[in-house]
DNA sequence: CCATATATCTGACTATAGTCAGGAAAAACA
DNA sequence: TGTTTTTCCTGACTATAGTCAGATATATGG
């Protein structure tokens, strides 16, 4: 392989040029880039001003000016946060939502064009971008509770089932027909569902449901290919165990398949022990852990 | 797969943030970014000012000011191009070379740190970056003649030999011991050597040497993994055929191995026909084409 | 209650990027 | 040869990003 560092710097130049083009593509709607970057971070339901400032690394004075300018344009409204009245919350007006949608469409079109440029290698391109984005976002990874009926959880579970079908010989697609009738059991007060976010993309999930008195069952641990090799599965397991503890459980169980060797190695390394079967195919390994 | 466009946009955000950090890392030496971008594009042996301006997309007035400012600092000297005295050529002074080396070191350190962050997936990261950079740079790809003894050609040939060893069962590493004693035959006036550049990284090569009177032999066609699937091999073959025509050859020959099926398919599709063996192992396919 | 810290806002300021019009010199063209 | 085009330069200008100090209102911890 030629010098890896030289290759990385070529990448930097290529992407900087592309990102520059991306930035200027956000112009042409008569608004400076800084204001646009703020605008597109405001969610319709309202976003904490400090959060935006922090994400964009802006000076508070500059941020304030951007907000005033967007307000003058009638794209956002700001109100004080009732929970902490020093803070302010920015909310999109209908005009603002339309404007954000327009910027979204521009970005979407650009992105689609870039992917199209890859031709037959589009899938590889997206996978490569995923890997890089996940590595760069690695420190910003956040694990948050999620609604088991939400779109992101459904997407994670679908990815999990696809993975099972690909790797477990005994698994067939029709074993996992979403939507899941049992999704309610992954909710409070007796269940839980966690998703790991890299930026706004879910890259891992895990769920917990009541099994039998003081025993809960861990289900559907999944980590996206781009996020593997960084100890995320271990973090997810540790997070769901904490949830279980807080819900008052004393024992955890899980079933899995011997084809999923890394997962089993992780379980063994973190205090899980084999037990007698308590479910059927496609599982062929059953484990337990005291809390 | 989750929405590809959403993933690409996450990538954009991650990389824009990183590129922003990269840009500011070029600060801290008391010089504005624009001037630095110009400075690091000046080669010690001299670079055409218009070329720099074109690559960076700068206004001629702005460019002029950057040059004056770098001159005042004693980092570069400008002289009129003797071939066209409207044009100017910028050259690094010794102080300038030292300064560029310092910026290089900063960039190198940053790049190394990023690669290190990928841990066990460093190779995958570099491959992903290569793929993206090559796709983004695709329109800027340049095929230029190269010195067969140069570092870049040696690197290409080494990559070619590695590929052969990996794919051809009969090939062993010791069959291809660089440096190549026959490199001189790939030079003018009877031979040629072409390299395709993506930015400053060689991504493909092909060579030509005299064989027998009006017949020349095409050797060492190689395309980097990141640049495949875009018709580059075809372009390289077409370029080397043009070289051969200009050198007055009437026939081309080549030997290859049946394990390299895409290459053979390309040859068949572009007018090459099978002929009797004229070399030994590891070759097992021999072809010819009239010009 | 007070002292201190935090979040935001405002006004004044600087630095940098970028634009534009016009001029001088050289090259290309008819 | 004269005209047009190209290349670079300069000065004047604008827009944007970003910094800084101080003011105000609120929260937090004693």
């Amino acid at each position: 392989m030629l010098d890896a560092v030289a290759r990385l710097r070529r990448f930097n130049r290529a992407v900087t040029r592309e990102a520059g083009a991306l930035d200027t593509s956000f112009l042409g709607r008569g608004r400076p880039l800084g204001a646009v970057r703020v605008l597109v971070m405001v969610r319709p339901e309202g976003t904490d001003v400090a959060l935006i400032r922090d994400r964009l690394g802006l000076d508070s004075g500059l941020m304030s000016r951007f907000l005033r300018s967007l307000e003058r344009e009638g794209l956002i409204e700001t109100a004080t946060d009732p929970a902490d009245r020093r803070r302010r919350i920015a909310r999109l007006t209908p005009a603002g939502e339309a404007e954000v949608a327009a910027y979204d469409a521009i970005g979407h079109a650009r992105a689609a064009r870039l992917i199209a440029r890859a031709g037959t290698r589009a899938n590889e391109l997206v996978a490569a971008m995923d890997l890089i984005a996940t590595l760069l976002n690695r420190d910003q990874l956040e694990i948050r509770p999620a609604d088991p009926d939400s779109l992101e959880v459904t997407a994670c579970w679908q990815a999990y089932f696809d993975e099972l079908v690909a790797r477990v010989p005994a698994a067939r697609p029709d074993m996992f027909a979403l939507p899941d009738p049992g999704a309610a059991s992954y909710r409070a007060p007796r269940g839980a569902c966690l998703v790991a976010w890299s930026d706004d993309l879910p890259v891992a999930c895990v769920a917990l449901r009541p099994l039998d008195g003081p025993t809960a069952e861990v289900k559907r641990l999944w980590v996206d290919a781009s996020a593997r090799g960084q100890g995320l599965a271990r973090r997810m397991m540790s997070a769901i165990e904490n949830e279980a503890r807080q819900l008052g459980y004393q024992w955890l169980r899980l079933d899995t398949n011997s084809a999923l060797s890394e997962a089993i190695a992780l379980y063994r390394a973190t205090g899980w022990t084999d037990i007698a079967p308590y479910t059927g195919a496609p599982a062929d390994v059953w484990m337990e852990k005291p809390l």
Side-chain angles (χ1 to χ4, degrees), chain A:
Chain A
M1 158 134 51
L2 301 169
D3 177 19
V5 173
R7 305 178 92 119
L8 188 148
R9 298 183 66 190
R10 174 179 77 122
F11 167 81
N12 265 338
R13 279 191 297 272
V15 160
T16 304
R17 202 173 44 238
E18 191 72 15
L22 183 108
D23 277 3
T24 57
S25 83
F26 280 138
L27 271 39
R29 305 202 110 241
R31 211 165 282 120
L33 181 61
V36 176
R37 293 205 297 160
V38 171
L39 177 63
V40 298
M41 284 204 66
V42 179
R43 321 220 120 241
E45 70 273 16
T47 308
D48 199 296
V49 164
L51 182 94
I52 300 176
R53 225 186 47 209
D54 188 53
R55 286 264 174 97
L56 297 178
L58 292 176
D59 173 87
S60 85
L62 190 51
M63 180 68 189
S64 198
R65 252 178 293 277
F66 286 145
L67 289 176
R68 290 302 84 68
S69 134
L70 292 169
E71 256 177 346
R72 266 198 309 278
E73 284 197 85
L75 301 177
I76 63 168
E77 285 163 347
T78 58
T80 60
D81 180 347
D84 178 343
R85 286 165 50 217
R86 289 170 306 184
R87 290 169 170 273
R88 312 216 75 193
I89 291 184
R91 193 187 318 277
L92 287 179
T93 64
E97 288 193 45
E99 205 55 30
V100 168
Y103 282 113
D104 255 28
I106 294 173
H108 213 276
R110 268 194 73 81
R113 217 160 33 242
L114 178 61
I115 290 180
R117 234 205 285 177
T120 57
R121 305 188 72 176
N123 284 339
E124 271 181 275
L125 173 68
V126 173
M129 289 183 162
D130 264 0
L131 177 63
I132 292 167
T134 301
L135 286 172
L136 294 183
N137 281 334
R138 173 174 192 171
D139 307 327
Q140 272 92 29
L141 207 85
E142 259 183 289
I143 299 174
R144 292 200 300 264
D147 179 345
D149 282 320
S150 61
L151 279 178
E152 58 265 21
V153 170
T154 309
C156 285
W157 288 357
Q158 190 58 59
Y160 167 76
F161 297 142
D162 291 348
E163 174 94 14
L164 282 190
V165 169
R167 295 189 51 187
V168 175
R172 288 194 324 280
D174 57 315
M175 284 177 172
F176 317 106
L178 282 178
D180 183 346
S185 58
Y186 300 113
R187 281 180 198 283
R190 303 285 297 148
C193 181
L194 298 177
V195 169
W197 296 86
S198 166
D199 195 341
D200 62 356
L201 188 81
V203 293
C205 70
V206 66
L208 183 83
R209 70 172 179 189
L211 196 63
D212 183 14
T215 304
E217 186 179 28
V218 174
K219 299 283 288 180
R220 302 187 182 170
L221 172 67
W222 168 79
V223 175
D224 184 76
S226 72
R228 288 174 199 167
Q230 299 172 53
L232 181 54
R234 185 181 287 253
R235 283 176 63 189
M236 296 301 286
M237 285 302 286
S238 156
I240 202 74
E241 286 173 20
N242 281 336
E243 289 287 326
R245 260 184 224 102
Q246 280 176 24
L247 293 174
Y249 289 109
Q250 286 155 38
W251 291 91
L252 289 180
R253 281 192 181 176
L254 61 81
D255 68 349
T256 184
N257 187 283
S258 48
L260 306 172
S261 50
E262 326 86 274
I264 294 175
L266 168 63
Y267 302 145
R268 294 236 160 84
T270 50
W272 292 77
T273 51
D274 291 83
I275 55 170
Y278 71 94
T279 60
D284 64 359
V285 173
W286 299 265
M287 306 183 95
E288 190 174 63
K289 176 175 183 173
L291 286 177

